[in-house]
Amino acid sequence: GGDNVLAGLALYDGEVENIAAGQAWAAARLEQSREAARLCIDYALGAVYILDLRLHPRDRITWMDAARRAAKLLGDRQNEGAALGNLGLAHRNLGEPETAIGYYARQLAIAREVGDRDGEGNACFNRALACDDLGRRAEAIPWAEQALAIFEAIGAPAAEKTRQLLAEWRGE
């Protein structure tokens, strides 16, 4: 947080051309090289918060789809799920909540398969937000309730935000 965030963003900004070139190189070779596939995952998921701040959602989709394909090739189900969730976020940022819901559903299935409770909670929470974006609050509330139960069970800080959102949606 704080100054560390600013320092990290400054570092990214100073190296953005090299980072983009490295990601493009790895993405072009992910099917021929396990190392390139691993780099695709690392570029996208290792810097997900910076990419959210610095890349247009369409560019994030390109990076996250390369990470998803790489994770699938490597049999890395947890990172495949994470990439799917981030694809959903990018589509939601583009105003495409229906597309986002499809990605969250796939993320949720993988999270449950691999026992990733945090990923499961995130998929439920993000699906709730996308349903609400579509004006389907009655559908959103059960998804948020599932997310809250998971976040509380694992002691995730997101529990408080989810609790507040549910109270707002319920008019409490």
Side-chain angles (χ1 to χ4, degrees):
D3 290 339
N4 291 331
V5 170
L6 296 176
L9 290 172
L11 182 61
Y12 174 84
D13 292 342
E15 296 294 332
V16 66
E17 290 179 18
N18 293 327
I19 293 167
Q23 190 280 336
W25 179 91
R29 291 162 180 78
L30 72 89
E31 293 181 8
Q32 290 81 37
S33 164
R34 291 182 64 79
E35 291 80 12
R38 178 59 48 204
L39 281 172
C40 280
I41 295 167
D42 291 344
Y43 272 112
L45 298 177
V48 69
Y49 298 113
I50 290 174
L51 299 179
D52 190 44
L53 294 171
R54 291 298 197 245
L55 290 184
H56 187 276
R58 291 271 176 228
D59 294 324
R60 286 199 327 269
I61 287 168
T62 299
W63 286 44
M64 290 301 160
D65 192 56
R68 179 200 57 78
R69 289 185 295 119
K72 188 171 184 120
L73 281 169
L74 295 174
D76 182 347
R77 297 291 279 162
Q78 183 146 355
N79 278 325
E80 183 182 352
L84 287 165
N86 281 288
L87 281 162
L89 292 172
H91 281 282
R92 186 167 171 256
N93 289 343
L94 287 172
E96 301 170 355
E98 282 288 358
T99 302
I101 287 170
Y103 283 110
Y104 300 141
R106 291 168 60 195
Q107 176 193 18
L108 181 59
I110 290 172
R112 287 179 174 159
E113 172 190 320
V114 301
D116 176 9
R117 297 287 284 159
D118 191 53
E120 187 179 350
N122 286 328
C124 292
F125 181 77
N126 288 325
R127 185 164 180 165
L129 293 175
C131 289
D132 191 60
D133 289 346
L134 291 165
R136 301 185 330 220
R137 178 121 345 134
E139 183 181 344
I141 288 174
W143 287 109
E145 289 170 339
Q146 285 184 58
L148 178 59
I150 293 165
F151 291 148
E152 287 177 338
I154 64 174
E160 184 55 35
K161 178 181 178 180
T162 308
R163 192 176 299 106
Q164 290 171 354
L165 183 66
L166 274 167
E168 177 188 324
W169 283 353
R170 293 174 179 149
E172 297 172 355

